[in-house]
Amino acid sequence: MPDKPRLGIGLIGSGFMGRAHVFGFSTADRAFDLPYRLELSKLADVDLETARQAAEDFGFSEATGDWRELLGDPDIDVIDITAPNALHKEMALAAIAAGKHVYCEKPLAPMAADAREMAEAAEAAGVRTQVGFNYLCNPMLSLAREMIAAGELGEIRSYRAVHAEDYMADSTDPFTFRHDPAGGGALGDIGSHALATAECLLGPIERVMGDCVTHIPTRPDGGNGSRRIEVDDIGRAFLRFDSGASGSIEANWLATGRKMQHDFEVYGSKGAILYTGERFNELHFYETASRTGRHGFRRIEAAPEHPPYGQFCVAPGHQIGFNDLKAIEVAGFVRAIAGHIPEPFGFRKGLRIQTLVETIQQSAIAGKWLEVPR
Amino acid sequence: MPDKPRLGIGLIGSGFMGRAHVFGFSTADRAFDLPYRLELSKLADVDLETARQAAEDFGFSEATGDWRELLGDPDIDVIDITAPNALHKEMALAAIAAGKHVYCEKPLAPMAADAREMAEAAEAAGVRTQVGFNYLCNPMLSLAREMIAAGELGEIRSYRAVHAEDYMADSTDPFTFRHDPAGGGALGDIGSHALATAECLLGPIERVMGDCVTHIPTRPDGGNGSRRIEVDDIGRAFLRFDSGASGSIEANWLATGRKMQHDFEVYGSKGAILYTGERFNELHFYETASRTGRHGFRRIEAAPEHPPYGQFCVAPGHQIGFNDLKAIEVAGFVRAIAGHIPEPFGFRKGLRIQTLVETIQQSAIAGKWLEVPR
Amino acid sequence: MPDKPRLGIGLIGSGFMGRAHVFGFSTADRAFDLPYRLELSKLADVDLETARQAAEDFGFSEATGDWRELLGDPDIDVIDITAPNALHKEMALAAIAAGKHVYCEKPLAPMAADAREMAEAAEAAGVRTQVGFNYLCNPMLSLAREMIAAGELGEIRSYRAVHAEDYMADSTDPFTFRHDPAGGGALGDIGSHALATAECLLGPIERVMGDCVTHIPTRPDGGNGSRRIEVDDIGRAFLRFDSGASGSIEANWLATGRKMQHDFEVYGSKGAILYTGERFNELHFYETASRTGRHGFRRIEAAPEHPPYGQFCVAPGHQIGFNDLKAIEVAGFVRAIAGHIPEPFGFRKGLRIQTLVETIQQSAIAGKWLEVPR
Amino acid sequence: MPDKPRLGIGLIGSGFMGRAHVFGFSTADRAFDLPYRLELSKLADVDLETARQAAEDFGFSEATGDWRELLGDPDIDVIDITAPNALHKEMALAAIAAGKHVYCEKPLAPMAADAREMAEAAEAAGVRTQVGFNYLCNPMLSLAREMIAAGELGEIRSYRAVHAEDYMADSTDPFTFRHDPAGGGALGDIGSHALATAECLLGPIERVMGDCVTHIPTRPDGGNGSRRIEVDDIGRAFLRFDSGASGSIEANWLATGRKMQHDFEVYGSKGAILYTGERFNELHFYETASRTGRHGFRRIEAAPEHPPYGQFCVAPGHQIGFNDLKAIEVAGFVRAIAGHIPEPFGFRKGLRIQTLVETIQQSAIAGKWLEVPR
């Protein structure tokens, strides 16, 4: 059996998401029969020392304090961007110009206009792209989508979703880049997940009515002063889907006690599905076709029948973890690079999410429903 | 010990809610030390035969086929209206004119203007009134209100609530009075519960942005034809409370699989509360003050510490039922009649709910935020 | 329509269970179409003053400080015993001798030998009897039994049940009659419920292996001293059913945090059922016949399809309460008195439970398996 | 910074557990700052072709069809045995004789006598050992143990645990090595997990009373015939701990619908803990010290406060997966090899579990309580 071709990875950034990506590469390589052998080639960070330490920890062969070094490196096929959001655009455009495939953490860019430029550049250059929306990679989400598509719920009428956490609930926590008016806010940060899930399950959203609220008006600036907060702490939207379904989402980073409330409920004429990110190895399913007196929401536990769960464990109910979702994301991207499947969630889709976020924000300011641009 | 004075009850209607009210009277009398002895005097229904049968089943002394007979009956102190919504106004006004206290099932009236007339008439006549919003009588709801009022959650920032059931999810079920354009729709029928709970917990709602959708456009008319549905199957609203909190509600009678999803979530700066009507003897509470590593939503089970649970059972966790909520409602009304407490939920509050419903409906039509009239 | 015949009730005792019985009589009369009209005739308690107060609260016509007065009263058809356990035998035998039907709270008697004497006396006298095992009256338990009987679970292989509460978990709480060596202990007090449920669902238990433990060796005696505890705080048993199924139960009154953990799990070749008393309006059901990838425990909510839930509420998911179980118990007893159905849970069955309890206790002492006498 | 020393791994077997171990090595290396750099040196399987394919998939440098080749290989420091149970002893003794550290999947050996020989050989040779009881590595289990040890539950009185799955519930599934009288059965296969958890949390078990049942008496032999089953389908035990606590466990591989019911409940004088393997990123905690009316089991979600969760994810509630437990197991073993910590679960502990299993089996046969040998 001939050796697989290699795919060299250049990583920019070594924080929370950088680390998660490395878990993803490492696990994907073992869990899936990929068309390439993944090689952790070079890691770039803000300075050489940081980069060297991370490269050693993460298993990269080389390190650099200058991310531009990755651009010309012939060993590198994929540039993986986990640097701060504000740098995504410059880095991605440079990587695309260098002919590299690009893997970029969400949000693709602070503004939809930037995201559009990036998506168009990638398409023009013919490189493959991936934006990190890992919750979409959950086998139970794939199951939900498959059930909806197969008509198991009948005609879908309504949708209710939320992504709520509490990481900004303490008003004494200081201003961060997430509070930056350019692209910040709960809607962009976590509402983007809710929106991606909504379109993944029910297809395109046609119109939105937004509601964005700032409940903590100022935060410490890290020094002795305080900074005014202009971004939303809570973003809500009513939704109309092309399909005729109606729905709503809420993004909330002040939801005291919530750590991963990425929830959705789908109601159709023949059945319904409930999901919570707090127990993401489960999907709850109701079907009207049950026998009289035997109706009820059933708790489906993730199992090998729900691909690609079986790549991680051959026994049902053993549960995959957050980092395994990243491995599934990596596997999809690598297969897209090989041309085996379409891009699972490329820059064009990343742009779409930014467009939804911005339309909701504009709608909230205007106080009226807006069509979502295509 | 001297005998208690009697309070004679005249009931109009003997359907689902009529029966529930009778359970309420009967249980209230035993569970609570009321200022009056309740006497089931006379029952009125559409004809004498129906009324007689119900009177016997329910334990009323007399029966009549003409509800107006109750008006002049000196043995009757309270007229209890569980007749169809369209008749509430005429009956209530007549009862008030006759100097009777009035207990009226929700909705008080199809339109806020009618409700206002009723509330004002009752106030002018000095009789006591009660509208049947029994979910408000749940000891766990009282607990939630008390916790919020005492500051256990800190400053309340956001609220998310829903009242969803599936009793209209089958599109082949025929047109009923609930689909009548005058006062019908999911928002009025069950959204009213969600709105009553919202104001009970967080105080007055200042502004709303509504979204009303009809997903099943026609229904069989009971003959060979079909009728166009003009009322909402789903009603949603964004909310702003006087307190500064923001929130949302959804009323949905197409929620396949849901039987009693009367849920709410309250998020404050120091804690949070979750509740579902599917398990209404529980309240879930999170407080930021827990020790590190010991945080979590705790499931509080209804117990004698949560009045008036102890009136029904001296042991914790044994659970009260739906009909017990009616008994609590009755007890509150009877005490208000005796002047011991203010009216728990009189016509003025019933009017308030109708006003909220209509403002949301108008906002949905207008496609913009509206102030809620006071 | 001719009036129903009356059934006069004489109640002994007005504590927790006396009150619950009165709720039961009152609600049963309204919820069910019973063959008799129930009349609360006379209430007996330890002295006339206590009895009079309770009679007024509960709606009895007369009161007495001497329970023997009930025996000769021709207006009384049923004597209902909710007095302390130690008095059950004397009272029941006297009532039977007086030709009254007898309703007796559990346990029927402290010792199986006494219970046998009572059961035989009742059978000889031809009166109807009822022991208060109200959890058996839950519609969801009836559903479980029906599903098992209909073969929906296939061949039943195993059973696991527990009845755990924490009302004795505080070692500073004083000695009570429940600690009395004659008939006391967790096994008799709450294990009896678990055993009744087990035989109700799976049929007769053939053999047991017991394990009884006293974890709190002494308790305050109410004065300045302490009393040695000889009864079990925790009683466990392995079970073999006639059917071939194996199982276990645990009774535990030291289970800190548990208020009503009356739980069981039934595993068969084609399905399984889970139940918890903490949410007694639900039954969880798994069937192997589901489609691939759609298996799961479904949460069945109590609904009118599950008789007699519909007697209390015509809408699903609204939930019945603890006191409603008593009403179902009363209705069954009254129908048995009319000869419409066999005794649901008469003294013979009460004796059976005592026999099971004692056999487990003897087995624990002997340290070996014992056959349960028939 | 100097390079870490390498630790060469030789793996025997490439099935379910072999694959899980490789995930463990790979993830441990990235998640933890280990004292060694792990190197996947050589993989042995039943024939060279199988081994080669697995070596490529898993990232091993070399492959062999003869596991004995690993013994003399100086590049190999650790021999990892995931071959069938029947081979564990021979392989482990050979590895120990060759001076290798040994990582062996559970059960250590079919019989306690064999396990003892292995444990003693390892101790004599001074090599480090690890048996694969990965559920013990769950951060929530560590939390439970820490809470118990710190006295947060007060004096522990009782314990109830179960490990139930349904992988043998279909009686038409054929005889496998798990049904082999030498070491097979549910008690050894999954009861061993329940026993390991029990002693991990509450310390040594002193006495047991066992109950072992075979419900499916024969199974297809893979040909046209059938084989008699002599091992237990269900194994139960009453337990007495040295500490004075009492408890029970059940192992059940016929539990239709259950995939990972590795559950336990711990009740103490001041608090209680509940856990289910079906949601292993949660721990439910009750403390009597809560304020009146605010008691309840709280759902603690795994978070960085619960080491080593934070090695996998810096955000709470994101959840780790089954394979991550293996990484934690690997990390502990590697640190023990470096001498930084004691062996987390070496052969001596594996022997202990076998001893418990066998004592329960013997007790079940004898029908009486037995002391557990030390």
Side-chain angles (χ1 to χ4, degrees):
Chain A
M1 175 179 164
D3 230 24
K4 285 178 189 177
R6 64 181 288 291
L7 192 75
I9 313 290
L11 174 67
I12 312 179
S14 62
F16 170 22
M17 286 315 303
R19 195 181 176 84
H21 281 222
V22 171
F23 280 118
F25 291 123
S26 155
T27 301
D29 216 13
R30 275 158 187 84
F32 295 92
D33 182 17
L34 297 180
Y36 299 99
R37 183 167 43 79
L38 307 186
E39 242 179 56
L40 303 182
S41 300
K42 194 179 284 189
L43 188 150
D45 212 320
V46 286
D47 57 56
L48 186 57
E49 198 39 47
T50 304
R52 265 192 189 143
Q53 181 59 55
E56 177 166 328
D57 286 357
F58 293 176
F60 278 78
S61 310
E62 297 180 84
T64 171
D66 175 10
W67 64 269
R68 293 181 179 279
E69 265 191 33
L70 307 182
L71 299 173
D73 189 331
D75 284 351
I76 291 180
D77 302 293
V78 172
I79 290 186
D80 181 8
I81 305 169
T82 69
N85 301 347
L87 302 173
H88 287 183
K89 182 181 175 186
E90 179 187 4
M91 290 171 170
L93 289 178
I96 290 165
K100 308 298 191 191
H101 304 295
V102 187
Y103 185 10
C104 184
E105 239 333 282
K106 64 152 277 272
L108 183 51
M111 308 297 287
D114 300 312
R116 179 175 305 278
E117 201 179 325
M118 293 159 78
E120 288 174 354
E123 284 161 10
V127 299
R128 295 288 159 274
T129 55
Q130 173 76 32
V131 190
F133 274 90
N134 36 281
Y135 300 121
L136 299 175
C137 299
N138 183 348
M140 300 320 272
L141 197 72
S142 302
L143 174 61
R145 182 170 42 185
E146 177 192 318
M147 291 170 75
I148 292 168
E152 294 186 44
L153 306 196
E155 174 203 351
I156 304 305
R157 289 157 176 171
S158 73
Y159 187 76
R160 194 186 323 127
V162 60
H163 191 124
E165 305 192 18
D166 67 358
Y167 57 102
M168 293 296 178
D170 185 344
S171 61
T172 66
D173 282 347
F175 187 96
T176 74
F177 75 91
R178 293 180 200 275
H179 300 103
D180 196 299
L187 195 67
D189 199 31
I190 53 179
S192 51
H193 288 300
L195 290 163
T197 298
E199 290 212 333
C200 168
L201 293 174
L202 266 65
I205 294 167
E206 185 179 70
R207 284 181 299 136
V208 296
M209 169 72 216
D211 178 28
C212 293
V213 197
T214 307
H215 282 284
I216 299 179
T218 63
R219 286 184 177 272
D221 64 3
N224 292 326
S226 74
R227 274 188 72 165
R228 185 176 166 73
I229 302 295
E230 294 169 47
V231 300
D232 57 291
D233 287 320
I234 303 177
R236 301 179 181 89
F238 300 140
L239 310 174
R240 284 298 180 285
F241 293 87
D242 283 7
S243 70
S246 70
S248 69
I249 60 144
E250 176 180 325
N252 189 335
W253 66 22
L254 303 182
T256 299
R258 294 296 194 177
K259 309 305 172 188
M260 182 40 64
Q261 191 189 16
H262 180 83
D263 294 3
F264 62 80
E265 309 191 7
V266 189
Y267 296 100
S269 57
K270 292 165 54 181
I273 279 175
L274 314 179
Y275 171 89
T276 173
E278 294 184 348
R279 290 163 170 173
F280 74 69
N281 283 274
E282 302 178 8
L283 191 72
H284 295 251
F285 170 47
Y286 181 99
E287 55 182 355
T288 58
S290 295
R291 303 190 297 288
T292 300
R294 304 295 178 273
H295 286 94
F297 279 95
R298 73 183 67 166
R299 183 167 67 91
I300 302 174
E301 294 181 272
E305 298 95 273
H306 311 118
Y309 173 97
Q311 301 304 117
F312 296 89
C313 185
V314 298
H318 280 53
Q319 301 160 52
I320 61 172
F322 173 77
N323 289 327
D324 296 327
L325 302 182
K326 270 293 173 210
I328 298 173
E329 184 172 281
V330 163
F333 183 38
V334 169
R335 285 172 173 166
I337 289 172
H340 295 181
I341 58 168
E343 282 176 355
F345 205 89
F347 281 11
R348 179 60 62 175
K349 289 192 177 164
L351 160 62
R352 172 68 184 170
I353 300 304
Q354 289 306 110
T355 303
L356 285 164
V357 167
E358 288 185 17
T359 310
I360 291 169
Q361 289 167 334
Q362 289 157 8
S363 160
I365 292 166
K368 61 179 190 187
W369 286 83
L370 291 180
E371 300 287 317
V372 182
R374 292 300 158 104
Chain B
M1 176 183 165
D3 231 26
K4 287 179 188 176
R6 63 181 290 288
L7 193 75
I9 313 288
L11 174 66
I12 312 178
S14 63
F16 171 22
M17 286 315 301
R19 195 182 177 81
H21 282 222
V22 171
F23 279 118
F25 291 122
S26 154
T27 301
D29 216 13
R30 278 160 185 82
F32 295 91
D33 182 16
L34 297 180
Y36 299 101
R37 184 167 43 80
L38 307 186
E39 241 180 55
L40 304 182
S41 302
K42 195 179 283 190
L43 186 151
D45 212 321
V46 285
D47 56 57
L48 185 59
E49 198 39 47
T50 304
R52 266 192 189 142
Q53 181 60 55
E56 177 166 327
D57 287 357
F58 293 176
F60 279 78
S61 309
E62 297 180 81
T64 173
D66 175 11
W67 64 269
R68 291 181 180 278
E69 265 189 35
L70 307 182
L71 300 173
D73 189 331
D75 283 350
I76 292 179
D77 303 293
V78 172
I79 290 185
D80 180 8
I81 305 169
T82 69
N85 300 346
L87 302 173
H88 288 183
K89 183 182 174 185
E90 179 188 4
M91 290 170 171
L93 290 178
I96 290 165
K100 309 297 190 189
H101 303 294
V102 188
Y103 185 11
C104 184
E105 241 331 284
K106 64 151 276 274
L108 184 50
M111 308 296 287
D114 300 312
R116 180 175 305 278
E117 201 178 326
M118 295 159 76
E120 289 174 353
E123 286 160 10
V127 299
R128 294 289 160 272
T129 55
Q130 173 76 33
V131 190
F133 275 90
N134 38 280
Y135 301 121
L136 299 176
C137 298
N138 184 348
M140 301 321 271
L141 198 71
S142 302
L143 174 62
R145 183 170 42 183
E146 176 192 319
M147 291 170 75
I148 291 167
E152 294 186 42
L153 308 194
E155 174 203 350
I156 305 304
R157 289 155 176 171
S158 73
Y159 187 76
R160 195 187 320 129
V162 61
H163 191 124
E165 305 192 19
D166 66 359
Y167 56 101
M168 294 293 177
D170 185 343
S171 61
T172 67
D173 282 346
F175 187 97
T176 74
F177 76 91
R178 292 179 201 275
H179 301 103
D180 196 299
L187 195 65
D189 198 33
I190 52 179
S192 51
H193 289 300
L195 291 163
T197 298
E199 290 211 334
C200 168
L201 294 173
L202 267 64
I205 295 167
E206 183 180 71
R207 284 182 297 136
V208 297
M209 169 73 214
D211 178 28
C212 294
V213 196
T214 307
H215 282 284
I216 299 181
T218 63
R219 286 185 178 271
D221 62 4
N224 293 325
S226 73
R227 273 186 74 163
R228 184 176 166 75
I229 302 294
E230 293 168 49
V231 299
D232 58 291
D233 288 319
I234 302 177
R236 300 179 182 90
F238 300 141
L239 310 174
R240 284 298 180 286
F241 294 86
D242 282 6
S243 71
S246 70
S248 69
I249 59 141
E250 175 180 324
N252 188 334
W253 65 22
L254 304 182
T256 298
R258 293 296 195 178
K259 310 304 172 190
M260 184 38 66
Q261 191 190 16
H262 180 83
D263 295 2
F264 62 81
E265 309 190 6
V266 189
Y267 296 101
S269 58
K270 292 167 54 182
I273 278 176
L274 314 179
Y275 171 88
T276 174
E278 295 183 348
R279 289 161 171 175
F280 74 70
N281 282 276
E282 304 178 7
L283 191 72
H284 296 250
F285 170 47
Y286 182 99
E287 54 181 356
T288 58
S290 295
R291 304 190 297 287
T292 300
R294 303 294 178 274
H295 286 94
F297 279 96
R298 76 184 64 168
R299 181 167 67 90
I300 301 174
E301 294 180 271
E305 297 95 275
H306 312 116
Y309 173 96
Q311 301 305 118
F312 296 90
C313 185
V314 298
H318 280 54
Q319 299 160 52
I320 61 172
F322 174 76
N323 290 327
D324 296 326
L325 302 183
K326 271 293 173 209
I328 299 172
E329 185 172 281
V330 164
F333 183 39
V334 169
R335 286 171 172 165
I337 288 173
H340 296 180
I341 58 169
E343 284 176 355
F345 205 90
F347 280 11
R348 181 61 61 176
K349 288 193 178 164
L351 159 62
R352 173 67 184 171
I353 301 305
Q354 288 307 110
T355 304
L356 285 163
V357 167
E358 287 184 20
T359 310
I360 291 170
Q361 288 168 336
Q362 289 157 7
S363 161
I365 291 167
K368 62 180 188 188
W369 285 82
L370 291 180
E371 301 286 318
V372 182
R374 292 301 158 105
Chain C
M1 176 180 165
D3 230 25
K4 286 179 189 176
R6 65 182 288 290
L7 193 75
I9 313 289
L11 174 66
I12 313 178
S14 62
F16 171 21
M17 286 315 302
R19 195 181 176 82
H21 281 223
V22 171
F23 281 119
F25 291 123
S26 153
T27 302
D29 216 13
R30 276 159 186 81
F32 295 92
D33 182 17
L34 297 181
Y36 299 101
R37 186 165 43 80
L38 307 185
E39 241 179 57
L40 304 183
S41 301
K42 195 179 284 190
L43 187 151
D45 212 321
V46 286
D47 56 56
L48 186 58
E49 198 40 46
T50 305
R52 264 191 191 144
Q53 180 62 55
E56 176 166 328
D57 287 357
F58 293 176
F60 278 77
S61 310
E62 296 181 82
T64 172
D66 176 10
W67 64 267
R68 290 182 181 278
E69 266 190 34
L70 307 182
L71 299 173
D73 189 332
D75 284 351
I76 292 179
D77 303 293
V78 173
I79 291 185
D80 180 8
I81 306 169
T82 68
N85 300 347
L87 303 173
H88 287 183
K89 183 182 173 184
E90 180 188 3
M91 289 171 171
L93 289 178
I96 290 165
K100 309 298 192 191
H101 304 293
V102 188
Y103 185 11
C104 184
E105 241 329 285
K106 65 152 276 273
L108 184 50
M111 308 295 286
D114 301 312
R116 179 176 305 279
E117 201 178 325
M118 294 159 77
E120 289 174 354
E123 285 160 11
V127 299
R128 295 288 160 273
T129 55
Q130 173 75 33
V131 191
F133 275 90
N134 37 282
Y135 301 121
L136 299 175
C137 299
N138 183 348
M140 300 321 271
L141 198 71
S142 302
L143 173 63
R145 182 170 42 184
E146 176 193 320
M147 291 171 75
I148 291 167
E152 294 186 42
L153 308 194
E155 175 202 352
I156 304 305
R157 289 156 176 171
S158 73
Y159 187 77
R160 194 186 321 129
V162 61
H163 191 123
E165 305 191 19
D166 66 0
Y167 57 101
M168 293 295 176
D170 185 343
S171 61
T172 66
D173 282 346
F175 186 96
T176 73
F177 75 92
R178 294 179 200 276
H179 301 103
D180 196 299
L187 196 65
D189 198 32
I190 52 179
S192 51
H193 288 300
L195 290 163
T197 298
E199 289 211 334
C200 168
L201 293 174
L202 268 65
I205 295 167
E206 184 179 71
R207 284 181 299 136
V208 297
M209 169 72 214
D211 178 28
C212 294
V213 197
T214 307
H215 282 284
I216 300 180
T218 63
R219 285 186 178 270
D221 63 3
N224 293 324
S226 74
R227 275 187 72 164
R228 184 176 167 74
I229 302 294
E230 293 168 47
V231 300
D232 57 291
D233 287 319
I234 302 177
R236 301 179 182 90
F238 300 142
L239 310 174
R240 284 298 180 285
F241 294 86
D242 283 6
S243 70
S246 70
S248 69
I249 59 142
E250 176 180 325
N252 189 334
W253 67 21
L254 304 182
T256 299
R258 293 296 194 178
K259 309 305 172 189
M260 184 39 65
Q261 192 189 16
H262 180 83
D263 294 2
F264 61 81
E265 310 191 6
V266 189
Y267 296 100
S269 57
K270 292 166 54 181
I273 278 176
L274 314 179
Y275 171 88
T276 174
E278 294 184 349
R279 290 163 171 174
F280 73 70
N281 282 277
E282 303 178 7
L283 191 73
H284 295 251
F285 170 48
Y286 181 100
E287 55 181 355
T288 59
S290 295
R291 305 190 298 287
T292 301
R294 304 294 179 274
H295 286 94
F297 279 95
R298 76 182 65 167
R299 182 167 67 90
I300 301 175
E301 293 180 271
E305 299 95 274
H306 312 117
Y309 173 96
Q311 301 306 117
F312 296 90
C313 186
V314 297
H318 281 53
Q319 300 162 51
I320 61 172
F322 174 76
N323 289 328
D324 297 326
L325 302 183
K326 270 294 173 208
I328 299 173
E329 186 172 280
V330 164
F333 183 38
V334 169
R335 286 170 173 166
I337 288 173
H340 296 181
I341 58 169
E343 282 176 355
F345 205 89
F347 280 12
R348 182 60 61 176
K349 288 192 179 165
L351 160 63
R352 172 67 184 172
I353 300 305
Q354 289 306 109
T355 304
L356 285 164
V357 166
E358 286 184 19
T359 310
I360 291 169
Q361 288 168 335
Q362 289 158 9
S363 161
I365 292 166
K368 62 179 188 190
W369 285 83
L370 291 179
E371 301 286 318
V372 182
R374 293 300 157 107
Chain D
M1 175 182 164
D3 232 23
K4 286 179 189 177
R6 65 182 288 289
L7 191 76
I9 313 289
L11 173 67
I12 312 179
S14 61
F16 172 23
M17 287 315 302
R19 193 180 177 84
H21 281 222
V22 171
F23 280 118
F25 290 124
S26 154
T27 301
D29 216 13
R30 275 158 186 85
F32 295 92
D33 182 18
L34 297 179
Y36 299 100
R37 185 166 42 80
L38 307 186
E39 243 181 55
L40 303 183
S41 301
K42 194 179 283 190
L43 186 151
D45 211 321
V46 287
D47 57 57
L48 186 57
E49 198 40 45
T50 304
R52 264 191 189 143
Q53 180 60 56
E56 177 166 326
D57 287 356
F58 293 175
F60 278 78
S61 310
E62 296 181 84
T64 170
D66 176 10
W67 65 268
R68 292 179 181 281
E69 265 190 35
L70 308 182
L71 299 172
D73 188 332
D75 284 351
I76 291 179
D77 303 293
V78 173
I79 290 185
D80 180 8
I81 305 170
T82 68
N85 300 347
L87 302 173
H88 288 183
K89 183 182 174 185
E90 180 188 3
M91 289 171 170
L93 289 178
I96 290 165
K100 309 297 191 192
H101 304 294
V102 188
Y103 185 10
C104 185
E105 238 334 281
K106 63 150 279 268
L108 183 52
M111 310 294 288
D114 300 312
R116 180 174 305 277
E117 201 177 326
M118 294 159 76
E120 289 174 353
E123 285 160 10
V127 299
R128 294 288 161 272
T129 56
Q130 173 76 32
V131 191
F133 275 89
N134 37 282
Y135 301 121
L136 300 176
C137 299
N138 183 347
M140 299 321 271
L141 198 70
S142 303
L143 174 62
R145 182 169 42 185
E146 176 192 320
M147 291 170 76
I148 292 167
E152 294 186 41
L153 308 195
E155 174 203 350
I156 304 305
R157 290 157 176 170
S158 74
Y159 187 75
R160 194 184 323 128
V162 60
H163 192 124
E165 305 192 18
D166 66 0
Y167 58 101
M168 293 296 177
D170 185 344
S171 62
T172 66
D173 282 348
F175 187 98
T176 73
F177 75 92
R178 292 180 201 275
H179 300 104
D180 195 300
L187 195 65
D189 199 31
I190 52 180
S192 51
H193 289 300
L195 291 162
T197 298
E199 291 211 334
C200 168
L201 293 173
L202 266 65
I205 295 166
E206 185 180 69
R207 284 181 300 137
V208 296
M209 169 72 216
D211 178 28
C212 294
V213 197
T214 308
H215 282 283
I216 299 180
T218 63
R219 286 184 178 272
D221 63 3
N224 294 324
S226 73
R227 274 188 73 165
R228 184 175 166 74
I229 302 294
E230 292 169 49
V231 300
D232 58 291
D233 287 320
I234 302 177
R236 300 179 183 89
F238 300 140
L239 310 174
R240 283 299 180 287
F241 294 86
D242 282 8
S243 70
S246 71
S248 69
I249 59 142
E250 176 181 324
N252 188 335
W253 66 22
L254 304 181
T256 299
R258 292 296 194 178
K259 309 305 172 189
M260 182 40 65
Q261 192 190 16
H262 180 82
D263 295 2
F264 61 80
E265 309 190 8
V266 189
Y267 297 100
S269 56
K270 291 166 55 181
I273 278 176
L274 314 179
Y275 171 88
T276 174
E278 295 185 348
R279 289 161 171 175
F280 73 69
N281 282 276
E282 302 177 8
L283 191 73
H284 296 250
F285 171 47
Y286 181 100
E287 55 182 355
T288 59
S290 296
R291 303 190 298 288
T292 300
R294 305 293 179 273
H295 287 95
F297 279 96
R298 74 184 67 168
R299 182 167 68 90
I300 302 174
E301 295 181 270
E305 298 94 273
H306 312 119
Y309 173 96
Q311 301 305 119
F312 296 90
C313 186
V314 297
H318 281 54
Q319 300 161 51
I320 62 171
F322 173 78
N323 290 327
D324 296 326
L325 301 183
K326 270 294 173 209
I328 299 172
E329 185 172 280
V330 163
F333 183 38
V334 168
R335 286 169 172 168
I337 288 173
H340 296 180
I341 58 169
E343 283 175 354
F345 206 90
F347 281 11
R348 181 59 63 176
K349 289 192 178 163
L351 160 62
R352 172 69 184 170
I353 300 305
Q354 288 308 110
T355 304
L356 284 164
V357 167
E358 287 184 19
T359 310
I360 291 169
Q361 288 167 335
Q362 289 157 9
S363 161
I365 291 167
K368 62 180 188 188
W369 286 82
L370 292 179
E371 301 285 319
V372 182
R374 292 301 157 107

